[in-house]
Amino acid sequence: MRNASGVTEFILLGIPHTDGLENMLLVLFLFFYIFTLMGNLLILLAIVSSSRLHTPMYFFLCKLSVCDIFFPSVSSPKMLFYLSGNSRAISYAGCVSQLFFYHFLGCTECFLYTVMAYDRFLAICYPLRYTIIMSHRVCAVLAMGTSVFGCIQATFLTTLTFQLPYCSSSEVDYYFYDIPVMLKLACADTSALEMVGFISVGLMPLSCFSLILISYSCIICSILRIRSTEGRRRAFSTCSAHLSAILLSFVPVVLIYLQPTPNPWLNATVQILNNLVTPMLNPLIYSLRNKEVKYSLRKLLQQLAFLPEK
């Protein structure tokens, strides 16, 4: 992307109001990051290694784990790097790349949650036709579609942000590069771009969330018609895990991008939860509430000699 200003690099000032806490934050965030990578990698390996889990639901869960590995990796390594006392500078191209991949992976996850809700809708509301509708080809197309639309959205937002000229001040009062903090450094009027960005960032998750709500409204109606208590329990267990992950993903987006008067400290706190804590919790949510995943994880760990055979 062409640099419309003379700025060649930006300086991260870090998380607001955390001066003197760098060492503590380094240890805490490093733990979160390592736990996130290990947890999602184990889920990924458990699903791939178990033929019992080669179904559409777990195929999409696999892609979610891949996204949860890369999503925190967009901003966390640089944050950990400067928290350990190293340079806070990043090149213009690096800034563009960070913003693009952050929104690409974030939007992909948003679309993926919508597809996962549609998958559960078909599995519970149309069980006899489920395997026919959700064929391997359909699953591949839906998974690819989430990435394609995520890429389109991220390209639009990144182009919108970096077409602006930036002033001589290159200090970013934040811990990574995102649209709201970058617009503050622009030398031009950003009101029109802020409105377009607000509509774009707000409309996409709102549309996805509306489709998810429709899917789960139908699912709940179908579950209530199930006569078997065990059948209702299993259906609610699977859906509650998905709904928990959805809420952890969508609520931060609303708090960060759709609040009328941005609060830097609140934004940083919520965004850290979104960038590090949510990807870390997703493996726990999907494994602790799912007997098949727990069984596959245990079998995988036994094969890796971490647990003794029983």
Side-chain angles (χ1 to χ4, degrees):
M1 183 173 292
R2 186 177 64 86
N3 188 346
S5 63
V7 178
T8 58
E9 69 175 18
F10 295 94
I11 310 295
L12 287 167
L13 297 183
I15 304 170
H17 313 301
T18 57
D19 293 337
L21 301 176
E22 286 82 4
N23 291 334
M24 184 188 74
L25 293 176
L26 174 64
V27 173
L28 181 64
F29 295 155
L30 183 61
F31 168 77
F32 283 162
Y33 185 52
I34 292 173
F35 195 90
T36 298
L37 297 182
M38 290 181 63
N40 283 287
L41 187 60
L42 282 173
I43 291 289
L44 192 60
L45 291 174
I47 293 173
V48 171
S49 64
S50 175
S51 58
R52 298 172 58 188
L53 301 183
H54 292 177
T55 63
M57 182 177 80
Y58 295 110
F59 170 71
F60 295 127
L61 182 55
C62 251
K63 178 158 187 182
L64 180 64
S65 291
V66 172
C67 288
D68 281 341
I69 287 171
F70 286 105
F71 185 62
S73 299
V74 173
S75 58
S76 298
K78 181 61 182 178
M79 179 176 65
L80 295 171
F81 184 72
Y82 74 70
L83 283 174
S84 61
N86 293 291
S87 173
R88 294 171 178 261
I90 187 171
S91 67
Y92 183 91
C95 181
V96 174
S97 299
Q98 190 179 80
L99 192 143
F100 170 79
F101 283 107
Y102 179 79
H103 284 279
F104 165 60
L105 292 164
C107 293
T108 298
E109 281 204 20
C110 190
F111 291 126
L112 186 58
Y113 281 124
T114 309
V115 169
M116 292 172 76
Y118 175 66
D119 171 70
R120 290 299 83 208
F121 162 73
L122 290 176
I124 294 173
C125 298
Y126 300 97
L128 299 179
R129 298 168 57 190
Y130 174 67
T131 54
I132 299 172
I133 297 172
M134 292 300 287
S135 63
H136 293 303
R137 182 174 177 275
V138 170
C139 290
V141 169
L142 288 173
M144 183 63 70
T146 61
S147 295
V148 170
F149 285 112
C151 184
I152 293 170
Q153 176 81 350
T155 301
F156 172 70
L157 293 173
T158 306
T159 305
L160 197 70
T161 303
F162 286 98
Q163 71 173 352
L164 296 167
Y166 288 94
C167 304
S168 56
S169 175
S170 59
E171 293 185 343
V172 179
D173 189 19
Y174 212 50
Y175 74 97
F176 85 108
Y177 303 96
D178 200 7
I179 296 171
V181 293
M182 294 306 298
L183 291 181
K184 292 179 182 178
L185 301 180
C187 299
D189 179 25
T190 62
S191 55
L193 293 177
E194 285 176 3
M195 182 57 67
V196 173
F198 179 86
I199 293 171
S200 177
V201 174
L203 188 61
M204 186 274 294
L206 183 62
S207 300
C208 290
F209 194 66
S210 299
L211 291 172
I212 290 169
L213 284 180
I214 293 170
S215 295
Y216 272 95
S217 296
C218 297
I219 287 170
I220 290 170
C221 291
S222 294
I223 290 175
L224 293 175
R225 288 199 295 267
I226 297 175
R227 295 181 180 180
S228 165
T229 304
E230 177 63 19
R232 284 199 301 268
R233 189 195 64 78
R234 289 188 62 185
F236 270 122
S237 178
T238 302
C239 294
S240 63
H242 186 205
L243 281 173
S244 301
I246 288 169
L247 290 175
L248 284 171
S249 180
F250 279 86
V251 170
V253 173
V254 174
L255 291 175
I256 294 165
Y257 296 105
L258 302 183
Q259 56 180 307
T261 54
N263 183 317
W265 187 85
L266 176 63
N267 283 1
T269 304
V270 172
Q271 209 142 28
I272 286 169
L273 292 174
N274 188 44
N275 294 2
L276 279 173
V277 179
T278 299
M280 180 185 71
L281 291 178
N282 276 345
L284 295 176
I285 291 171
Y286 283 104
S287 61
L288 294 179
R289 300 298 299 273
N290 191 306
K291 290 182 179 179
E292 292 179 325
V293 174
K294 282 195 289 187
Y295 172 80
S296 297
L297 276 173
R298 186 172 187 85
K299 188 176 179 182
L300 175 66
L301 291 174
Q302 287 173 347
Q303 290 173 350
L304 296 173
F306 289 133
L307 287 177
E309 289 280 359
K310 288 190 176 181

